[in-house]
Amino acid sequence: MKTLEEKIISFANEKCQMLTVKELDRAFFTTTELEDFFHIGRTQASRAANNLVNQNILFKINTRPVLFSLKYAFEEKYNLSVVSEYNSLSQLISDILDTPSETVFEKMIGYEGSLAESIEQLKTAVYYPGNGLPVMLMGETGVGKSYFVQIMYQYMVKANLVEENAPFITLNCAQYYNNPELLSGLLFGYAKGAFTGAYENRKGLLEEADNGLLFLDEVHRLNAEGQEKLFTFMDKGNFSRIGETKDRQAKVRLVFATTEKTNVFLQTFLRRIPIQIYIPTINERSILEKRQIIEHLFKKESVIIQRSIEVTPRVMNILLQTMYTGNIGELENTIKYTCGSALSQSSSEETIQIKIKDMPQKVYEKIEAQWPLVNVGGDNFFFSKEGHVTEVSNATNELKKFMQHMNVVFEQFQKDTPYEIKQQLYQQVIKFIDELVFQEMQTNQVALEKFILSTMQDIFREMDDQNKVHYDGNIMLFLSHYIYSYILKGVQIIEGITPALKLFIRQQYKIEMRVLQKLLPEIEKRLDIHFSEVDQLLFALFFATLESSERKIELDALIIAHGYATASSIANVCNRMLGDVTFTGIDMPIEATIHDISKKVREYIDEHLVDQGLILLIDMGSLNMIYEELKQNVSIPLLFIDQLNTPMALEIGNLMQQGKSILEIADNMQDVIMPNVQVFQPARSKKRAIITTCFSGLGIAIQIQKLLYACLEGILDVDIIPIEFNELKEKGITEALSAKYDILSIIGTNNLYIPQVEFVYLEHIISGDGDGQLHKIFENLLSEQEIREINNRLVKNFSLIRVIDSLTILDTKRIMELVETCIQELEQRLNLLLTNARKVAMYVHVSCMVERLIRHSEITEFPDLEQFSFENQKEIRVIQDVFSVLETVYSVTVPLEEIGYIYNILYVT
């Protein structure tokens, strides 16, 4: 039996069914109405209503009498953050009207991610003059096409493109697939006596949707006649009811949805629909969006079953990693089943716990095979019946304890020198990092944390080497764990650090704060998160551990040069060869004035707390004048050297690493005779390199370089240098190249017969024994498995280049990945070891075959098809089974004739 409060919620929900701004007062009720409706006393009605306000279920308007309404209904309808109390109804109306129409899209998970392009297409359609442009939504079952249309309608209402109570009518054409006449009657209406059973005149949906929106789902079920009638309406805005000749008019915005390819429609119909929007599958969405969808569905279930739900991280990880062929619909059913199963076993509990055993059998069966039962770290997710999400976590206590220690240390040592304080803070930070990294290494990362770590690694790789910080694996692992455990889980640490400590960090960790000004916005953008002020200050302390442990050079050094990337290139080369971030490069435009350069140097001194001295290497005589301007504005020692090249910079870097003072470096450099490259050659192993060349020109050599880089990524760090064929023929391997690189091989199309360097024909790798050719190059560097992986990548990427110009419909990257999986499965199941030539043929043939099948241009002839079918039944069954994945993905059927040609590639010489 329902409680009084539950009855009031239902009562309020009924009130909000026809919610409009013009008649907003109808959505509210008073305690007097509650008294009359539920036959209760005034005090009881008032207490129950105000209790629901305190629970954030109702909100109220403090007028006389006080008005109450359902908070969720207003937030859902107007995408507004409704507060608990308003002073007047006009204040609420003002907030509703002032909310930008764009906020409607915030209801959609992925509105700034996977759905961003779809939303832009939607805007294009709705803002087109007149009735907008017809829209076709395309995507698999369960991706959310119907919800997308609801958002579209709400956006049009909010943007005043249609009236607030404008019709919004939906028809699923699949329900009338076997009765096209009835479907036409529903759409266009009919006159009395038009057919048997037409006993009265009846409006069609086009008339009912006048000045509104008509959504036709599963529109591919509409027959050719119905499509023709619709495109006539789209052209002229006129239509006739069945059984009459009178023209009627309606202004209707049309949205269609289909799960099929466009080839099932009349081309004359499709031409009238200029906006075709693809809604991605749940498996095509990012893992962050997938998690948001899962959390949304659990919140939804907790409200429906009126129980709080607690979900283990193991269950959440399985839900994140499962591939859903039925998309969001299948995921929702999985979560419904799981919640129902848990509820049936603990129906009397206020909180139900979701564990692996509660999941559907089809998911449960995959657990052992796909995700071994390892120690998955993390905390339980808690979804309250009011729709709130939290996590049952110890993370808050860990972080608060750490910050308490920091505050205590700072308070005890604040009378000491800044250096001593930083050393004490350093010890606390190192301890905190080590403990978390150790815990992290003992547990198996969940899918989301793996994604965060991968993203962080990408960001750090892209960060400029000149940031004065050496990044290592531990700091990335720690920061990823911090983001996952604290930022994403909403751990509140606003009051964690005392004001005095905050001020100290800002004043004493300026270099780290400067690095974070570049780094944190990029992380926020990539991971869709927000860092608080305290997060930023803590990150400065974390980064200071790298600074303290890695950088021991007290002097600073700047390389300043005119031209694009000149200074930064020299700085980066020197930093790599010295094994430390010693130089910072500043690239100046050719037209830069002395004042511009002086300003840059002063900014660097201020931002990097330069206090021991600054060495400036400059590239031309005109820059000498910089000293005259700078010496008036800085109070630190400056050493200017007005010649600039890499050997000189390396010598200066070596002296800096030896701890020489600025005066000692000046004395040393006065005795140096320039140039003398050999003196400065670093005593460390040379870097490996492969040279690419081609008789056809440097352009092809560069293409080979790109191909090889893609194949070697993540396996071997090697420079690949494209060189002009004639230059290599005339000069051979120059001394400069020999001094810097260990040349592994030359790969090209014509052998130059250069002594002591292995030449490998690209054609022999692609068409012949790829593993054997690559073995010549990498036999002492890589394992057999790694060489095989490079070979497979080379074949795949070379095939991609060949098919990319042949395909006009397909996403080449996607089809190549699918074909790669098919080739690997064929080799395994048919016990084959395909040559590279056969693999290339498979990639090209199958990719083009799929495009032909989509275009209905399949091959229809094969020699002796009946005999082939009889003699090779086993192979045919395997090929059909392996390529069924392509049939599912692209909605095609691979005919026997095509299978015959695939068989020939595999077996026939």
Side-chain angles (χ1 to χ4, degrees):
M1 186 175 179
K2 284 187 175 181
T3 64
L4 176 60
E5 289 184 359
E6 289 173 338
K7 292 177 181 178
I8 292 174
I9 293 171
S10 299
F11 178 76
N13 193 51
E14 286 295 322
K15 282 274 189 179
C16 294
Q17 289 303 305
M18 301 299 291
L19 193 57
T20 64
V21 173
K22 291 181 179 178
E23 299 177 332
L24 205 61
D25 55 329
R26 291 190 177 185
F28 289 88
F29 57 88
T30 65
T31 53
T32 303
E33 288 181 70
L34 295 180
E35 292 171 44
D36 296 340
F37 192 84
F38 295 110
H39 306 291
I40 57 177
R42 177 176 298 180
T43 303
Q44 190 179 5
S46 178
R47 184 185 300 116
N50 282 290
N51 280 343
L52 289 170
V53 171
N54 294 333
Q55 295 174 40
N56 284 319
I57 296 173
L58 298 182
F59 72 102
K60 63 183 180 181
I61 311 289
N62 286 323
T63 54
R64 291 185 179 274
V66 176
L67 302 175
F68 297 88
S69 193
L70 193 61
K71 187 175 183 180
Y72 171 80
F74 278 77
E75 290 180 333
E76 183 70 18
K77 173 80 173 181
Y78 299 112
N79 206 45
L80 177 72
S81 181
V82 176
V83 297
S84 297
E85 297 184 28
Y86 289 88
N87 293 325
S88 65
L89 195 58
S90 59
Q91 181 189 357
L92 173 61
I93 293 172
S94 176
D95 284 356
I96 292 172
L97 296 177
D98 290 344
T99 305
S101 55
E102 297 292 320
T103 59
V104 170
F105 297 125
E106 294 176 9
K107 297 179 183 179
M108 302 176 73
I109 294 170
Y111 74 99
E112 287 184 326
S114 62
L115 295 178
E117 183 180 349
S118 302
I119 289 171
E120 290 305 313
Q121 289 178 284
L122 179 154
K123 292 179 187 175
T124 300
V126 300
Y127 278 108
Y128 194 81
N131 294 324
L133 295 171
V135 174
M136 176 73 80
L137 298 180
M138 309 185 72
E140 295 179 10
T141 299
V143 295
K145 298 187 290 295
S146 298
Y147 183 65
F148 192 87
V149 181
Q150 293 174 27
I151 295 296
M152 177 181 179
Y153 175 78
Q154 292 174 24
Y155 177 71
M156 290 191 298
V157 171
K158 187 66 183 171
N160 295 317
L161 295 171
V162 296
E163 293 291 330
E164 188 175 11
N165 57 353
F168 175 22
I169 296 175
T170 298
L171 175 66
N172 190 323
C173 300
Q175 297 173 353
Y176 304 94
Y177 177 60
N178 295 320
N179 197 335
E181 291 79 12
L182 180 56
L183 181 56
S184 292
L186 281 170
L187 277 175
F188 302 102
Y190 51 81
K192 182 179 179 180
F195 50 81
T196 303
Y199 300 118
E200 58 183 359
N201 294 327
R202 179 164 179 173
K203 286 183 178 181
L205 296 183
L206 284 175
E207 286 180 81
E208 292 180 4
D210 192 21
N211 293 312
L213 184 146
L214 176 59
F215 172 43
L216 299 183
D217 200 2
E218 303 288 344
V219 72
H220 53 273
R221 299 294 193 179
L222 195 62
N223 64 11
E225 183 183 354
Q227 292 181 39
E228 289 174 353
K229 287 183 178 180
L230 267 181
F231 76 64
T232 301
F233 172 72
M234 286 188 275
D235 283 344
K236 302 178 181 178
N238 298 334
F239 67 96
S240 300
R241 291 180 182 176
I242 296 174
E244 69 176 20
T245 57
K246 175 185 175 182
D247 275 348
R248 297 178 180 272
Q249 290 188 330
K251 294 182 178 180
V252 180
R253 293 173 182 265
L254 292 171
V255 181
F256 310 103
T258 182
T259 55
E260 301 296 317
K261 303 294 181 183
T262 54
N263 55 19
V264 303
F265 297 100
L266 295 175
Q267 288 303 307
T268 47
F269 177 67
L270 276 182
R271 283 202 298 269
R272 270 76 175 184
I273 310 174
I275 305 291
Q276 296 178 12
I277 300 176
Y278 175 72
I279 308 298
T281 66
I282 190 171
N283 301 317
E284 291 171 331
R285 299 224 193 183
S286 73
I287 198 164
L288 285 172
E289 289 182 13
K290 204 168 179 180
R291 170 171 160 159
Q292 289 175 313
I293 293 169
I294 292 169
E295 289 184 351
H296 168 75
L297 294 174
F298 270 119
K299 281 193 291 186
K300 185 177 174 183
E301 284 303 306
S302 66
V303 173
I304 291 172
I305 67 177
Q306 279 299 289
R307 295 284 192 283
S308 296
I309 299 173
E310 190 172 346
V311 182
T312 67
R314 181 70 185 157
V315 170
M316 182 64 77
N317 195 35
I318 291 170
L319 290 172
L320 278 170
Q321 296 197 62
T322 299
M323 301 293 285
Y324 299 96
T325 54
N327 294 293
I328 297 174
E330 182 185 349
L331 172 59
E332 183 171 17
N333 288 336
T334 300
I335 289 175
K336 278 184 178 294
Y337 179 98
T338 304
C339 292
S341 174
L343 182 63
S344 68
Q345 299 171 53
S346 54
S347 57
S348 60
E349 301 291 332
E350 278 297 311
T351 299
I352 61 170
Q353 290 191 326
I354 305 293
K355 298 180 180 178
I356 294 175
K357 64 182 178 62
D358 300 311
M359 305 184 80
Q361 187 69 22
K362 62 180 180 180
V363 176
Y364 189 80
E365 289 170 349
K366 298 177 184 177
I367 294 175
E368 287 295 336
Q370 296 187 23
W371 312 291
L373 290 172
V374 293
N375 179 21
V376 177
D379 307 299
N380 289 355
F381 297 81
F382 188 81
F383 302 88
S384 72
K385 60 184 179 183
E386 290 80 26
H388 306 303
V389 183
T390 55
E391 293 196 40
V392 185
S393 173
N394 293 320
T396 305
N397 293 332
E398 293 172 359
L399 195 56
K400 283 184 176 178
K401 187 184 295 183
F402 164 67
M403 287 187 290
Q404 287 169 1
H405 289 169
M406 299 290 287
N407 291 331
V408 169
V409 167
F410 179 72
E411 185 178 351
Q412 290 179 349
F413 289 90
Q414 61 181 332
K415 293 182 180 179
D416 289 32
T417 64
Y419 175 80
E420 182 61 29
I421 296 173
K422 291 174 77 171
Q423 286 298 108
Q424 296 297 327
L425 294 177
Y426 170 80
Q427 291 179 1
Q428 294 296 322
V429 173
I430 283 293
K431 181 175 178 292
F432 182 62
I433 290 176
D434 287 348
E435 287 175 354
L436 281 189
V437 169
F438 177 78
Q439 292 172 14
E440 186 68 8
M441 293 175 72
Q442 302 307 306
T443 59
N444 189 52
Q445 291 179 323
V446 297
L448 180 55
E449 195 169 1
K450 288 179 183 176
F451 170 77
I452 294 170
L453 178 59
S454 174
T455 303
M456 293 290 286
Q457 288 169 338
D458 290 342
I459 293 172
F460 275 84
R461 273 195 293 266
E462 295 164 11
M463 288 294 290
D464 196 331
D465 284 340
Q466 304 171 27
N467 278 330
K468 302 293 181 190
V469 179
H470 174 72
Y471 307 117
D472 61 24
N474 272 1
I475 195 68
M476 279 186 277
L477 186 64
F478 170 75
L479 295 179
S480 301
H481 180 76
Y482 183 96
I483 290 170
Y484 175 76
S485 299
Y486 302 123
I487 308 296
L488 286 180
K489 297 183 180 180
V491 174
Q492 297 297 315
I493 52 174
I494 297 172
E495 302 299 329
I497 301 178
T498 63
L501 180 53
K502 286 182 182 179
L503 180 62
F504 179 83
I505 295 172
R506 291 196 177 281
Q507 291 177 342
Q508 298 297 326
Y509 294 84
K510 289 184 178 179
I511 294 176
E512 290 79 10
M513 295 297 290
R514 181 68 178 173
V515 172
L516 294 173
Q517 285 178 7
K518 297 178 181 178
L519 176 65
L520 295 189
E522 187 64 25
I523 297 175
E524 288 179 328
K525 182 174 71 174
R526 300 265 190 107
L527 295 177
D528 192 22
I529 59 177
H530 175 70
F531 293 110
S532 68
E533 178 197 17
V534 175
D535 292 326
Q536 296 174 34
L537 296 174
L538 288 178
F539 272 42
L541 294 173
F542 301 150
F543 272 67
T545 64
L546 299 175
E547 181 74 11
S548 300
S549 61
E550 295 293 339
R551 192 168 190 267
K552 300 179 177 64
I553 300 172
E554 294 183 349
L555 291 174
D556 285 71
L558 276 179
I559 295 175
I560 306 175
H562 290 91
Y564 173 73
T566 304
S568 58
S569 295
I570 295 175
N572 287 336
V573 168
C574 291
N575 289 340
R576 291 194 195 100
M577 298 184 77
L578 292 166
D580 196 4
V581 182
T582 303
F583 292 99
T584 297
I586 297 181
D587 301 308
M588 301 300 299
I590 297 296
E591 65 276 10
T593 65
I594 296 300
H595 176 73
D596 296 332
I597 298 169
S598 301
K599 182 180 177 183
K600 283 282 186 184
V601 174
R602 284 196 301 270
E603 287 177 356
Y604 177 87
I605 292 171
D606 292 340
E607 291 169 4
H608 294 81
L609 298 176
V610 180
D611 54 5
Q612 298 299 312
L614 178 65
I615 300 172
L616 294 99
L617 283 74
I618 51 184
D619 69 339
M620 60 178 65
S622 63
L623 287 178
N624 291 330
M625 297 170 59
I626 190 175
Y627 173 69
E628 294 301 321
E629 184 164 339
L630 273 179
K631 69 179 183 179
Q632 307 298 327
N633 300 296
V634 296
S635 57
I636 58 170
L638 296 174
L639 170 59
F640 283 81
I641 300 174
D642 64 355
Q643 297 180 47
L644 173 59
N645 54 48
T646 303
M648 177 190 291
L650 281 172
E651 175 63 16
I652 292 171
N654 279 322
L655 292 171
M656 291 173 67
Q657 289 187 337
Q658 294 170 26
K660 301 291 186 183
S661 70
I662 199 166
L663 292 176
E664 290 173 322
I665 293 174
D667 291 339
N668 273 275
M669 295 311 296
Q670 287 175 350
D671 298 332
V672 173
I673 299 173
M674 302 299 292
N676 188 353
V677 176
Q678 297 301 318
V679 172
F680 306 112
Q681 188 69 11
R684 39 173 63 92
S685 60
K686 294 185 288 186
K687 191 166 186 181
R688 304 181 186 95
I690 294 173
I691 293 173
T692 62
T693 190
C694 180
F695 184 80
S696 303
L698 187 61
I700 301 299
I702 292 172
Q703 292 297 321
I704 300 173
Q705 175 201 38
K706 292 178 180 178
L707 180 65
L708 291 175
Y709 267 136
C711 299
L712 292 169
E713 183 181 3
I715 298 177
L716 183 65
D717 183 20
V718 58
D719 281 356
I720 302 171
I721 307 166
I723 299 180
E724 176 72 41
F725 182 87
N726 290 331
E727 178 186 341
L728 196 59
K729 184 177 180 181
E730 291 172 11
K731 299 180 180 179
I733 306 297
T734 63
E735 289 185 8
L737 271 176
S738 297
K740 188 174 181 181
Y741 292 107
D742 176 17
I743 308 297
L744 300 178
S745 174
I746 300 173
I747 296 179
T749 54
N750 300 81
N751 196 344
L752 292 161
Y753 301 101
I754 295 177
Q756 298 179 338
V757 179
E758 182 77 32
F759 183 89
V760 176
Y761 286 95
L762 179 66
E763 182 182 354
H764 289 177
I765 298 176
I766 300 299
S767 302
D769 174 23
D771 285 354
Q773 296 293 323
L774 293 173
H775 201 271
K776 295 179 184 178
I777 305 173
F778 302 117
E779 60 179 333
N780 296 322
L781 300 172
L782 300 175
S783 66
E784 292 292 336
Q785 184 178 353
E786 289 171 324
I787 293 174
R788 198 174 304 115
E789 173 62 20
I790 293 172
N791 179 64
N792 290 339
R793 290 184 185 181
L794 199 60
V795 172
K796 177 184 173 184
N797 292 334
F798 181 78
S799 304
L800 178 61
I801 294 169
R802 288 189 59 181
V803 303
I804 200 163
D805 293 327
S806 303
L807 304 182
T808 57
I809 296 176
L810 296 178
D811 178 345
T812 50
K813 182 180 178 182
R814 179 80 193 283
I815 183 67
M816 295 299 281
E817 289 173 351
L818 291 170
V819 175
E820 179 183 25
T821 303
C822 292
I823 290 173
Q824 291 171 355
E825 191 173 347
L826 282 173
E827 285 185 311
Q828 181 181 354
R829 293 178 61 176
L830 294 174
N831 196 25
L832 295 172
L833 185 60
L834 297 178
T835 64
N836 284 356
R838 291 186 189 274
K839 287 181 183 178
V840 171
M842 282 290 291
Y843 275 114
V844 176
H845 177 82
V846 175
S847 300
C848 295
M849 175 194 76
V850 173
E851 179 131 324
R852 286 198 309 273
L853 294 177
I854 292 174
R855 293 177 177 276
H856 296 293
S857 303
E858 62 267 30
I859 295 173
T860 55
E861 294 181 0
F862 183 80
D864 301 318
L865 182 63
E866 187 173 345
Q867 182 181 352
F868 163 76
S869 176
F870 177 77
E871 293 177 352
N872 303 282
Q873 294 180 34
K874 175 193 170 184
E875 290 81 1
I876 291 171
R877 281 197 303 273
V878 172
I879 295 171
Q880 286 175 328
D881 188 45
V882 168
F883 284 100
S884 64
V885 64
L886 297 179
E887 295 179 326
T888 302
V889 171
Y890 295 104
S891 301
V892 297
T893 300
V894 180
L896 185 58
E897 291 86 350
E898 294 279 8
I899 290 174
Y901 286 101
I902 291 172
Y903 176 92
N904 284 350
I905 294 173
L906 295 176
Y907 289 102
V908 181
T909 2

